[in-house]
Amino acid sequence: MFIGFIPVLFAFAATLASFKHQNLARALWITCAVLVVIWTTWHGAHHMSDLKQLGAW
């Protein structure tokens, strides 16, 4: 239900990791970006029929 919150957790962990572990922070930011793309694709696909009916496309 709150899958969009998962990338926020990874971003927070990356922020904390960036203080001491640059490579770990970089990996966490990349993971965060990938999760955002996955979530956006899934969420957008879920609302595509609504957007087509509203004339947004």
Side-chain angles (χ1 to χ4, degrees), residues 1-48:
M1 184 171 165
F2 295 107
I3 194 167
F5 185 66
I6 294 172
V8 173
L9 292 177
F10 273 86
F12 182 70
T15 302
L16 292 178
S18 67
F19 292 125
K20 291 189 177 188
H21 306 288
Q22 189 89 22
N23 290 333
L24 176 62
R26 186 173 291 122
L28 287 170
W29 280 116
I30 290 169
T31 303
C32 177
V34 169
L35 287 172
V36 167
V37 169
I38 290 170
W39 180 81
T40 303
T41 303
W42 176 80
H43 189 74
H46 177 71
H47 291 287
M48 192 59 73

